[in-house]
Amino acid sequence: MTEQNLSPVEHLKTRSRGLRGTLAEGLKNQLTGQLSADDQQLVKHHGIYQQDDRDRRSERETKKLEPAYSFMIRLRLPGGDITPQQWLGLQPLLHENTTGILKITTRQTIQVHGVVKSKLKPTLQWFNKYGLDTIATCGDVNRNVMAGSHPATSAFHEEVHAFAVKISEYLRPKTKAYTEVWLDGERLDENAESEPDPLYQNRYLPRKFKVGIAIPPHNEIDIFTQDVGLIAIEENGSLAGFNVTVGGGLGCTHGNPATYPRLADMLGFIKPDQVLDTVWQIAAVQRDNGNRSDRRQARVKYTIDHMGLEAFKADLESRLEFTLAAPRSFAFNSRADYYGWLQDHKNRWHYTLFIENGRVVDTPEYRAKSALDAIAASNLCKFRLTGNQNIMLLNVAAEDKAAIDTILESHGIIKTQAALMPIRTHAIACVALPTCPLALAEGQRYLPELLSKVEMLLEKYALTQDEISIRMTGCPNGCGRPYVAEIGMVGRSVGHYDLRLGGDRLGYRLNTVYKEGLDESSILSTLDSLLAVYARERMEDETFGDYCQRQLFAQTAR
């Protein structure tokens, strides 16, 4: 690809001196709450997005003020693990430097919002104090590595889960820009070349790169939506290796048919000692073949569709010292989190706590934040975030269960959680308005309200215990994984969503657009009609997504 065809972001990365740009200088400029346009791109690779409060845009424009700029910061927590000490360490920071709310993301990590520019550096230094960082959680690099969270799913769960940290470290950028800019590390001489990086070189990847690890029979990370997926394979009670998938990705653009959600292809089987090299070289194939002129065509899924799967695999194997074996059999039987207590093969106990849309807050009936703070202070367990935006309490000894139950009961957790309908506890929503600059409609602020109305429909048709998956995003980029839900709602404009139906309950199938640009009344009337017929005519054990696929889209498919 010639220099003339490269996108502006590509030129920016190569001249950034290892992602340094003018970040250090820009942070000192307190005459504005924003960073320069170039630094807004570079700071993503440090785990930070510039945003503004869109609810206040008109008010500030009237007063001739610049937008209310602030920053979202995302932690790097491979596999979703965070210690009680780190959890407690974040709490005073929340009140001093952020909106005060921890947000659990659909990539199994934490992000905070509302950090103003003058607080950016102190915030990252605070993270560092507790052994946390935000390196490469955004930008054109390997993002936070996901892994199946539930230890009770497999006797070798710990062995598999540990690969999340290994991959995260192995694919971490080599530049010391993060330490230099945020932690006052030694500065690179202005005439010196940036640190050599065999994987990312000086151009990094064409776009973001997401890796996930699934541990059958559970698929809460939606393995087929990942750029690279590793599916743990059990043989004779031990870990034999992993099936490798490539090319998943959900982001697209309204009105641009050249962009689309895509599920990953199966590439082959590898042994445990081949994991790191395989993932590294897949990233290298993408680095060398991905589209660097059009960022909307730059994900791995488009590279595979352009090259062809066999050519992609051949390129990969030419870089490896081995060939991939034929994929081995596996099966998923669930995708939702298992709420409440579960016991694993080591007789340890684990409790999954429902966190609506990942917002860790207290309500009068359900004081989740206070409960988690008290449990962290007890130091009786570890914390793990799930890919469904919930929190697990890990490795609880049998003799400590009662103490944790007492905390959960006194904060309304056990009683309230037991009374919730599955459609609510299985729902996912992205942040959307007012902070996400890409949002066209509401997400997490609105979905709970809409669910209350959908729940009335379920009561009407005696479907309250049906585990229908419903997911909402404020734009088509797919952060809430709406394209693999039984009911997906994708924001098109304020108050209007594309209604997508027919995804399966395990993550093997994309859903399909049913109607575009619906407002709330149209969504509810449409679902009312469909649920009525579903309750009356569904086949034995047929899910709502399978029913919609059979009745609404089977003719189209044929």
Side-chain angles (χ1 to χ4, degrees):
M1 185 174 296
T2 65
E3 286 290 313
Q4 289 84 354
N5 290 333
L6 292 175
S7 74
V9 175
E10 292 301 320
H11 291 290
L12 173 62
K13 287 184 291 186
T14 56
R15 68 171 185 265
S16 70
R17 299 175 68 246
L19 307 177
R20 289 169 173 84
T22 58
L23 279 171
E25 295 74 19
L27 289 171
K28 296 175 183 177
N29 178 8
Q30 293 303 312
L31 295 177
T32 175
Q34 66 176 323
L35 294 170
S36 70
D38 284 356
D39 285 343
Q40 287 177 44
Q41 284 290 338
L42 292 180
V43 80
K44 295 177 184 179
H45 298 78
H46 298 247
I48 301 167
Y49 275 96
Q50 180 175 297
Q51 302 179 332
D52 75 280
D53 187 341
R54 293 170 62 179
D55 286 347
R56 299 177 61 194
R57 279 185 181 176
S58 296
E59 165 211 341
R60 293 184 66 83
E61 184 177 350
T62 299
K63 295 179 179 179
K64 302 190 183 305
L65 298 172
E66 71 176 10
Y69 291 116
S70 64
F71 296 83
M72 180 271 282
I73 309 178
R74 188 179 292 153
L75 288 171
R76 185 170 65 109
L77 298 175
D81 284 350
I82 184 168
T83 69
Q85 293 75 25
Q86 289 171 329
W87 180 272
L88 291 174
L90 290 175
Q91 303 313 310
L93 174 72
L94 291 178
H95 298 290
E96 292 177 22
N97 291 6
T98 81
T99 58
I101 297 175
L102 284 180
K103 168 74 177 179
I104 302 172
T105 79
T106 54
R107 285 208 67 77
Q108 214 173 1
T109 186
I110 286 171
Q111 62 189 40
V112 296
H113 292 259
V115 182
V116 297
K117 189 164 80 170
S118 63
K119 297 290 187 179
L120 271 177
K121 193 168 180 178
T123 299
L124 268 66
Q125 291 179 343
W126 188 280
F127 290 156
N128 184 66
K129 176 181 175 182
Y130 289 94
L132 298 167
D133 67 62
T134 68
I135 298 168
T137 53
C138 314
D140 300 342
V141 286
N142 176 57
R143 302 286 188 91
N144 197 58
V145 180
M146 299 181 73
S149 56
H150 298 266
T153 58
S154 169
F156 54 79
H157 181 278
E158 289 182 43
E159 180 183 359
V160 175
H161 193 271
F163 275 100
V165 173
K166 294 176 184 177
I167 293 169
S168 181
E169 290 301 318
Y170 202 61
L171 272 59
R172 176 175 166 171
K174 299 297 185 289
T175 176
K176 296 179 181 177
Y178 183 91
T179 302
E180 177 183 312
V181 173
W182 308 108
L183 307 180
D184 294 324
E186 182 179 355
R187 296 196 65 172
L188 182 72
D189 185 275
E190 62 181 19
N191 296 315
E193 294 290 330
S194 178
E195 302 82 359
D197 193 324
L199 175 57
Y200 296 114
Q201 300 173 354
N202 70 342
R203 52 188 175 147
Y204 297 88
L205 298 179
R207 279 299 299 273
K208 56 190 172 185
F209 187 81
K210 298 180 176 181
V211 179
I213 307 167
I215 308 172
H218 201 219
N219 185 31
E220 101 248 25
I221 71 161
D222 279 315
I223 192 70
F224 298 108
T225 69
Q226 311 285 334
D227 290 275
V228 179
L230 299 169
I231 303 172
I233 302 298
E234 177 181 2
E235 291 183 358
N236 300 318
S238 61
L239 176 65
F242 298 87
N243 283 346
V244 181
T245 65
V246 291
L250 299 183
C252 61
T253 303
H254 287 314
N256 183 353
T259 66
Y260 44 83
R262 184 188 194 278
L263 295 182
D265 295 306
M266 190 65 67
L267 201 60
F269 173 85
I270 59 175
K271 298 175 182 178
D273 62 358
Q274 297 172 330
V275 166
L276 295 181
D277 196 19
T278 300
V279 176
W280 197 100
Q281 294 294 358
I282 291 173
V285 174
Q286 166 66 356
R287 177 198 65 206
D288 296 339
N289 293 280
N291 190 323
R292 292 182 181 269
S293 62
D294 183 355
R295 290 180 63 79
R296 291 180 176 177
Q297 292 282 312
R299 293 286 297 276
V300 175
K301 61 182 178 180
Y302 299 116
T303 305
I304 290 175
D305 283 347
H306 174 71
M307 295 178 64
L309 183 63
E310 290 306 313
F312 188 96
K313 182 177 180 181
D315 192 341
L316 170 65
E317 291 185 331
S318 73
R319 302 166 189 250
L320 297 168
E321 296 181 355
F322 54 87
T323 57
L324 278 68
R328 304 193 182 180
S329 62
F330 68 95
F332 294 125
N333 64 19
S334 64
R335 186 170 57 165
D337 285 343
Y338 308 121
Y339 293 103
W341 288 108
L342 280 178
Q343 188 176 23
D344 68 16
H345 66 289
K346 293 184 178 180
N347 297 319
R348 301 171 304 185
W349 289 90
H350 315 277
Y351 187 95
T352 303
L353 195 78
F354 170 62
I355 305 294
E356 188 158 38
N357 299 328
R359 298 180 73 249
V360 183
V361 296
D362 284 342
T363 65
E365 299 81 18
Y366 196 80
R367 295 165 51 222
K369 182 184 183 304
S370 297
L372 288 164
D373 291 352
I375 291 168
S378 74
N379 204 31
L380 295 178
C381 62
K382 296 181 179 179
F383 286 5
R384 175 172 293 162
L385 316 178
T386 81
N388 289 321
Q389 301 179 298
N390 298 308
I391 296 182
M392 290 191 70
L393 313 177
L394 288 185
N395 303 337
V396 179
E399 59 269 24
D400 294 328
K401 271 188 68 187
I404 289 182
D405 270 337
T406 297
I407 295 173
L408 294 172
E409 288 173 357
S410 66
H411 288 79
I413 304 303
I414 294 177
K415 179 181 178 181
T416 304
Q417 187 165 289
L420 296 173
M421 290 187 196
I423 197 168
R424 186 175 294 270
T425 59
H426 296 354
I428 292 176
C430 71
V431 172
L433 296 172
T435 53
C436 179
L438 302 176
L440 304 171
E442 293 282 357
Q444 69 176 20
R445 292 197 301 190
Y446 170 54
L447 183 57
E449 175 188 337
L450 179 65
L451 281 175
S452 295
K453 298 172 183 178
V454 175
E455 286 170 341
M456 289 190 286
L457 299 179
L458 297 178
E459 290 176 349
K460 181 179 176 181
Y461 300 114
L463 295 171
T464 57
Q465 295 309 304
D466 201 309
E467 298 182 354
I468 298 171
S469 66
I470 185 167
R471 298 174 178 182
M472 172 179 283
T473 55
C475 80
N477 285 287
C479 295
R481 305 198 295 274
Y483 303 105
V484 283
E486 291 176 271
I487 302 172
M489 285 175 281
V490 178
R492 183 166 281 272
S493 63
V494 175
H496 294 81
Y497 299 83
D498 288 354
L499 179 63
R500 303 179 63 98
L501 301 171
D504 70 303
R505 206 159 280 183
L506 301 178
Y508 288 115
R509 182 176 69 230
L510 292 171
N511 53 29
T512 303
V513 175
Y514 183 56
K515 294 182 178 179
E516 294 183 349
L518 300 187
D519 62 10
E520 181 183 282
S521 63
S522 298
I523 290 170
L524 292 173
S525 64
T526 301
L527 292 180
D528 191 354
S529 300
L530 289 170
L531 289 168
V533 182
Y534 167 63
R536 186 174 62 247
E537 299 181 358
R538 62 177 169 170
M539 299 165 62
E540 185 177 359
D541 297 326
E542 187 174 37
T543 66
F544 182 68
D546 288 348
Y547 168 80
C548 290
Q549 180 68 18
R550 176 172 64 86
Q551 289 290 75
L552 304 179
F553 305 118
Q555 288 294 114
T556 303
R558 286 197 293 269

